[in-house]
């Protein structure tokens, strides 16, 4: 963003102030859409936890985005920002059945990530379609704190427990209309992403009433100049081919869903603060990003 513009904003609004560049956000949204333009039905749900500023939510809504939420509070924020409940996905982790029912009351889509709640929910509400979060057990992501698809992860239902899921569906007659994965943040290697996607396709075959497959997110973003980032365009080319093949095999044009957070907003933010004093003492000299003592 232009430095003069930032200075003007600082002068007009005072410091400290957060500034978000709407153009950057819109461009990233467009970039992802373009990368997957050969997919018939694409849905991008912005992962609200990356930045819940209400103006940013409204901007993304205007661009045609849906919303991925992980708490009731985020759901309420999304509704406040004008998202239709139909465009909101609720992906909680380990919350009570009551909280999930609260989200159902609000009319949003539900993503369930454990067998216990799936069974309870299915028994009580067999007619409300749900998405199921699968853990494909792929070690992906920048570090172990943000890698959520590994074998010990608390997120998702193990892909090895798919027979259990199918049995619950059979017993409760509940409807599973989507399957989902989100294996971690900062995934640079698209081969890892594609590998996890293959596991999801294999799993998807076993579900008869899908409307969508949600590939989550985790795209690596640059944190500083020169940093590497996920090659979204290459991922788009490769995953599109496999997704379209899969739809043919499945016999239906499913919706391909992504839920990017950082990818859309991480390069759009500025924090402006005023420096009051620059002080040099005899003991430390701050020089070129290093402290010399
Ligand atoms: C955090 C999160 C995302 C977004 O991850 P990014 O790395 O910011 O793109 C998407 N889906 C779920 C379920 C999440 O928890």
């Amino acid at each position: 963003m232009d430095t003069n513009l930032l200075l003007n904003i600082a002068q007009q609004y005072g410091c400290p102030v957060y500034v978000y560049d709407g153009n950057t956000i819109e461009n990233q949204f467009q970039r992802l859409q373009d990368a997957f333009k050969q997919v018939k039905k694409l849905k991008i749900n912005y992962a609200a936890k990356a930045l819940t500023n209400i103006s940013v939510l409204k901007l993304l809504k205007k661009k045609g985005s849906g919303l991925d939420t992980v708490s009731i509070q985020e759901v309420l924020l999304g509704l406040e920002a004008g998202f239709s409940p139909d465009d909101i996905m609720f992906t909680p982790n380990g919350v009570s059945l009551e909280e999930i029912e609260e989200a159902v009351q609000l009319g949003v889509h539900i993503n369930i990530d454990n067998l216990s709640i799936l069974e309870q929910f299915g028994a009580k509400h067999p007619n409300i379609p749900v998405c199921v979060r699968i853990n494909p057990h792929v070690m992906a992501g920048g570090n172990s704190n943000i890698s959520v698809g590994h074998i010990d992860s608390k997120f998702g239902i193990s892909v090895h427990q798919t027979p259990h899921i199918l049995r619950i569906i059979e017993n409760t007659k509940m409807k599973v209309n989507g399957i989902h994965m989100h294996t971690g943040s900062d995934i640079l290697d698209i081969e890892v992403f594609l590998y996890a996607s293959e596991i999801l396709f294999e799993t998807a075959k076993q579900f008869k009433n899908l409307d969508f497959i949600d590939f989550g997110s985790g795209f690596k973003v640059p944190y500083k100049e020169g940093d590497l980032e996920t090659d979204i365009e290459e991922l788009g080319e490769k995953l599109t081919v496999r997704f379209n093949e899969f739809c043919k095999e499945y016999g239906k044009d499913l919706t391909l869903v992504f839920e990017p957070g950082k990818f859309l907003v991480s390069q759009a933010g500025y924090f402006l603060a005023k420096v009051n004093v620059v002080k040099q003492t005899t003991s430390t000299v701050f020089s070129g990003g290093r402290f010399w003592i």
Side-chain angles (χ1 to χ4, degrees):
M1 214 165 156
D2 180 57
T3 312
N4 280 330
L5 185 56
L6 289 173
L7 285 172
N8 286 344
I9 292 171
Q11 250 156 26
Q12 191 176 342
Y13 295 94
C15 285
V17 61
Y18 286 99
V19 181
Y20 299 109
D21 180 1
N23 287 340
T24 303
I25 296 173
E26 287 185 319
N27 289 343
Q28 286 293 90
F29 189 88
Q30 195 59 47
R31 212 182 129 195
L32 188 55
Q33 265 189 336
D34 288 348
F36 286 87
K37 60 178 184 294
Q38 304 292 348
V39 168
K40 266 200 195 132
K41 296 181 181 172
L42 175 73
K43 177 89 189 157
I44 299 173
N45 288 336
Y46 169 55
K49 79 172 186 287
L51 173 62
T52 46
N53 180 295
I54 190 115
S55 304
V56 171
L57 297 182
K58 285 179 180 169
L59 176 73
L60 281 160
K61 159 147 196 345
K62 208 176 74 193
K63 282 294 282 181
S65 179
L67 203 65
D68 186 70
T69 58
V70 293
S71 68
I72 286 290
Q73 288 75 15
E74 282 184 2
V75 172
L76 293 172
L77 258 175
L79 294 171
E80 180 74 27
F83 285 92
S84 128
D86 209 37
D87 274 337
I88 300 179
M89 175 66 99
F90 181 49
T91 304
N93 174 240
V95 304
S96 65
L97 182 64
E98 289 76 33
E99 189 168 332
I100 290 181
E101 286 173 330
E102 205 180 325
V104 169
Q105 286 293 317
L106 293 167
V108 305
H109 293 289
I110 308 296
N111 194 358
I112 295 183
D113 90 329
N114 64 86
L115 289 170
S116 167
I117 291 283
L118 185 71
E119 189 161 29
Q120 293 175 57
F121 188 90
K124 247 177 123 176
H125 312 283
N127 293 322
I128 299 175
V130 300
C131 176
V132 176
R133 179 171 186 171
I134 302 288
N135 180 349
H137 300 309
V138 172
M139 187 68 194
N143 65 57
S144 62
N145 293 326
I146 52 176
S147 171
V148 291
H150 56 81
I151 192 92
D152 292 328
S153 171
K154 67 172 182 153
F155 297 98
I157 300 172
S158 166
V159 67
H160 305 305
Q161 290 173 319
T162 307
H164 292 63
I165 304 175
L166 296 172
R167 201 171 321 131
I168 290 173
I169 295 175
E170 202 179 302
N171 290 344
T172 61
K173 307 280 178 269
M174 72 185 302
K175 296 182 179 50
V176 170
N177 67 346
I179 60 169
H180 164 273
M181 71 167 181
H182 173 70
T183 54
S185 269
D186 279 1
I187 306 169
L188 179 62
D189 187 352
I190 65 169
E191 294 307 322
V192 173
F193 205 97
L194 292 168
Y195 176 69
S197 303
E198 288 304 324
I199 296 173
L200 206 56
F201 287 136
E202 273 308 307
T203 313
K205 273 186 202 161
Q206 301 172 62
F207 292 80
K208 299 294 165 231
N209 296 303
L210 295 183
D211 295 322
F212 65 91
I213 302 181
D214 187 334
F215 293 86
S217 172
F219 309 137
K220 172 149 178 36
V221 299
Y223 286 99
K224 47 186 187 323
E225 219 155 298
D227 259 6
L228 293 170
E229 61 179 308
T230 308
D231 189 336
I232 289 294
E233 287 70 24
E234 189 186 349
L235 179 67
E237 260 174 50
K238 292 187 171 167
L239 187 57
T240 295
V241 171
R242 284 296 296 125
F243 185 78
N244 288 344
E245 272 171 16
F246 178 81
C247 288
K248 231 184 202 166
E249 223 179 283
Y250 194 77
K252 183 175 177 185
D253 281 326
L254 301 177
T255 301
L256 190 164
V257 184
F258 276 121
E259 38 188 48
K262 289 190 292 185
F263 175 81
L264 293 178
V265 296
S266 71
Q267 293 164 85
Y270 298 83
F271 178 60
L272 308 183
K274 179 166 168 268
V275 176
N276 291 325
V277 177
V278 177
K279 185 174 183 181
Q280 293 190 344
T281 73
T282 50
S283 63
T284 40
V285 180
F286 185 68
S287 147
R290 275 208 161 114
F291 281 101
W292 300 101
I293 298 178

